[in-house]
Amino acid sequence: MTWTSDNPHLSGNFAPVFDELSTSDLPVIAGAIPGDLSGAYMRNGPNPMFKPLSYAYPFDGDGMIHVVYLDNGRARYRNRFVRTRGLVAEQRAGRAIYGGTLAPVPVDPALVEPDGDPGPFKNGAFVGIVRHAGHILALLEVSTGYELTPELDTIGEWSPGTDEPIEIGAHTRRHPATGALFGVTYGIDEPFVRFQEIDASGRLVNSTKVPLAAATMIHDFILTERHIVVLAGPAVFDMAAAQAGQSPIQWRPELGTRIGLLPLNGDAVRWLEAEPFFVFHFANGFEHKGRLTIDYVRHQWLHFGVGPAQSIPPRLHRLAIDLSSGRIDDQCVCDAVVEFPRVDDRRNATPTRHVYIPTLTDRWTLDRSTSATFNTIAHMNPESGDVALHDFGNRLVGEPVFIPKPGLDGEQDGYLAVFIYDPASDVSTFTLLDAADVTADPVAVVALPRRVPQGLHGAWMPNL
Ligand SMILES: [Fe+2]
């Protein structure tokens, strides 16, 4: 089954693929796969199986995982849909039955019975992927996680020792001392944010609900050794607006952005006020000598392709909070357009200086109208301001995932795994760059058996 759409985020390399492949012994077309790397690079992304009733990137779709398994210098590839309850109901109906997040439609209960997702928002599990306590989870904002096998079969919604599956959210962060995994979810028609703490053995040990001034969209958060930090930008859910045919998410700059510091020891939340801005993604955050530092991508406002475009593109910023005075200092690291920042995950919540992030240069001469169009992997140092680039010209890049070099633990001792797409040949590659020198020739370029669409987030799972 195939379909096409003239939506720019369902066209070109944003268009979904429909077949599920398993291919061994992928050709290495440049360099060599380090022989001591063993594990899987998995990447999630929205890939609607049926032509959507409405669609807004990156809010809608069905999760599809693309994985490259590495072992003994060889690579194999596989891709599978995440078979969520909503997708199973749509397969039964033979068509899309859920509307998009920004244009929800009532769902016919007869079509979702007996076990489908009641909607109106479908949990497509298409944003994040993480392995915790041996469980591989596909994740979506304000949603339960779907557990997958290492070969990408869908097991079902995951319960961390709880009677029912719990909402984990799209992004998770691991505490450096305890190994606990933290997730975030929030209320759409009630103003609160909730943090879930799942211990290293995979059991829910804390669920902390924090009231907000308004029901706010919160995609990601920061974990330090002593705090959870939440940035509540003024992207507010308004169901009355939705019923009047407008977007259910409204930008209310008069509310400003509120920064909540939630101590992990159970003390009261402290709120700081800032001017209105929006954050999808944080690179990392940490505390050092009474200062809390946050590296993040700052958006002027939340833009969904409707309303005025941002006059300042999304940029990497470093925000510092003096924990005694509450004073906030915010600096732009580099004026290049960026998104999807990553660091060495082993250093989450501890001091980092190296951020790896896609950007767009003038060597890209094709269509620039679609958000999340990037052709370059940048290595940015928010402390020094240094920037190094690997410019792929007229090829598209995605989020780079840091793979530690086995046996080494320096902050730059790793490879960056990224899918690259060449529109001229309609071919994708799995490419490894050296994190210590992104400008160098790739460590390895592996030809994939098919085009891999532009996606969202990935993860490296060693020794899978
Ligand atoms: Fe995200």
Side-chain angles (χ1 to χ4, degrees):
M1 146 246 350
T2 61
W3 49 266
T4 59
S5 166
D6 56 9
N7 182 322
H9 281 119
L10 293 171
S11 307
N13 202 39
F14 288 90
V17 295
F18 302 104
D19 49 348
E20 298 178 301
L21 305 181
S22 302
T23 308
S24 300
D25 283 321
L26 302 177
V28 180
I29 55 177
I33 300 167
D36 57 354
L37 274 187
S38 178
Y41 163 69
M42 292 196 183
R43 202 218 58 195
N44 203 347
N47 193 91
M49 180 182 284
F50 297 100
K51 188 163 189 172
L53 303 179
S54 67
Y55 189 81
Y57 173 91
F59 298 100
D60 299 318
D62 297 305
M64 179 177 276
I65 313 295
H66 299 262
V67 55
V68 175
Y69 304 92
L70 302 180
D71 188 42
N72 214 12
R74 295 205 302 267
R76 67 184 176 97
Y77 165 84
R78 176 174 284 237
N79 72 300
R80 292 291 184 273
F81 280 98
V82 184
R83 288 188 158 70
T84 62
R85 291 197 292 154
L87 179 57
V88 169
E90 290 188 326
Q91 286 183 288
R92 217 160 34 217
R95 61 178 176 84
I97 61 176
Y98 302 90
T101 299
L102 301 187
V105 299
V107 180
D108 181 349
L111 292 176
V112 302
E113 294 295 345
D115 55 358
D117 185 335
F121 305 108
K122 176 174 63 171
N123 176 4
F126 59 79
V127 175
I129 183 130
V130 69
R131 179 172 60 164
H132 183 64
H135 304 276
I136 298 168
L137 305 173
L139 300 170
L140 176 68
E141 194 156 322
V142 200
S143 297
T144 54
Y146 271 86
E147 184 170 8
L148 311 174
T149 68
E151 297 292 326
L152 304 183
D153 293 321
T154 302
I155 297 170
E157 291 167 287
W158 187 54
S159 302
T162 47
D163 292 340
E164 298 286 334
I166 65 159
E167 292 181 0
I168 297 170
H171 286 268
T172 57
R173 295 195 177 261
R174 191 168 277 117
H175 194 278
T178 69
L181 190 78
F182 287 75
V184 63
T185 185
Y186 56 82
I188 288 173
D189 46 17
E190 182 191 343
F192 71 90
V193 61
R194 181 187 292 281
F195 293 97
Q196 315 279 34
E197 180 181 358
I198 300 160
D199 73 9
S201 74
R203 301 188 72 82
L204 182 73
V205 290
N206 254 310
S207 183
T208 304
K209 186 176 178 179
V210 177
L212 296 174
T216 304
M217 183 188 160
I218 294 170
H219 183 69
D220 192 1
F221 65 103
I222 277 292
L223 179 70
T224 72
E225 287 188 81
R226 297 190 303 138
H227 288 93
I228 292 166
V229 185
V230 57
L231 263 73
V236 173
F237 286 90
D238 185 336
M239 289 306 149
Q243 283 169 3
Q246 299 169 15
S247 167
I249 307 173
Q250 298 284 319
W251 184 249
R252 300 271 161 75
E254 67 277 11
L255 296 176
T257 289
R258 302 180 77 225
I259 303 174
L261 305 178
L262 175 64
L264 293 178
N265 67 4
D267 285 354
V269 184
R270 178 180 175 189
W271 287 101
L272 306 173
E273 307 284 339
E275 67 280 12
F277 64 98
F278 188 76
V279 182
F280 275 110
H281 297 123
F282 300 94
N284 193 19
F286 54 89
E287 289 173 53
H288 187 59
K289 294 184 176 174
R291 277 165 74 88
L292 196 153
T293 300
I294 298 171
D295 294 331
Y296 72 103
V297 175
R298 183 182 179 106
H299 291 247
Q300 251 184 315
W301 53 72
L302 179 60
H303 178 66
F304 316 101
V306 292
Q310 301 171 45
S311 56
I312 300 172
R315 292 168 168 172
L316 186 69
H317 277 236
R318 171 164 277 197
L319 185 150
I321 298 170
D322 183 314
L323 287 169
S324 57
S325 69
R327 183 173 174 274
I328 298 169
D329 176 61
D330 185 74
Q331 301 288 334
C332 179
V333 174
C334 173
D335 63 8
V337 57
V338 293
E339 248 302 356
F340 306 113
R342 293 297 291 256
V343 299
D344 176 352
D345 285 338
R346 295 172 301 177
R347 292 181 151 70
N348 184 61
T350 64
T352 47
R353 291 183 298 173
H354 301 284
V355 176
Y356 304 97
I357 192 166
T359 185
L360 184 64
T361 71
D362 288 341
R363 288 192 62 215
W364 174 264
T365 60
L366 306 174
D367 178 34
R368 287 174 172 258
S369 64
T370 308
S371 67
T373 295
F374 299 112
N375 72 332
T376 293
I377 298 297
H379 172 189
M380 295 186 178
N381 183 325
E383 201 172 283
S384 67
D386 290 346
V387 176
L389 303 177
H390 195 116
D391 190 326
F392 288 91
N394 269 337
R395 287 177 284 171
L396 286 167
V397 308
E399 176 200 66
V401 167
F402 188 97
I403 299 179
K405 290 182 179 175
L408 299 176
D409 62 2
E411 190 181 340
Q412 298 182 77
D413 288 336
Y415 308 102
L416 303 176
V418 62
F419 287 135
I420 309 282
Y421 173 69
D422 182 358
S425 60
D426 195 31
V427 166
S428 293
T429 61
F430 169 76
T431 297
L432 291 175
L433 299 177
D434 188 334
D437 183 5
V438 299
T439 66
D441 287 342
V443 173
V445 179
V446 177
L448 296 172
R450 62 106 55 70
R451 175 177 77 79
V452 174
Q454 298 306 103
L456 295 171
H457 303 294
W460 169 247
M461 301 179 195
N463 306 313
L464 188 69

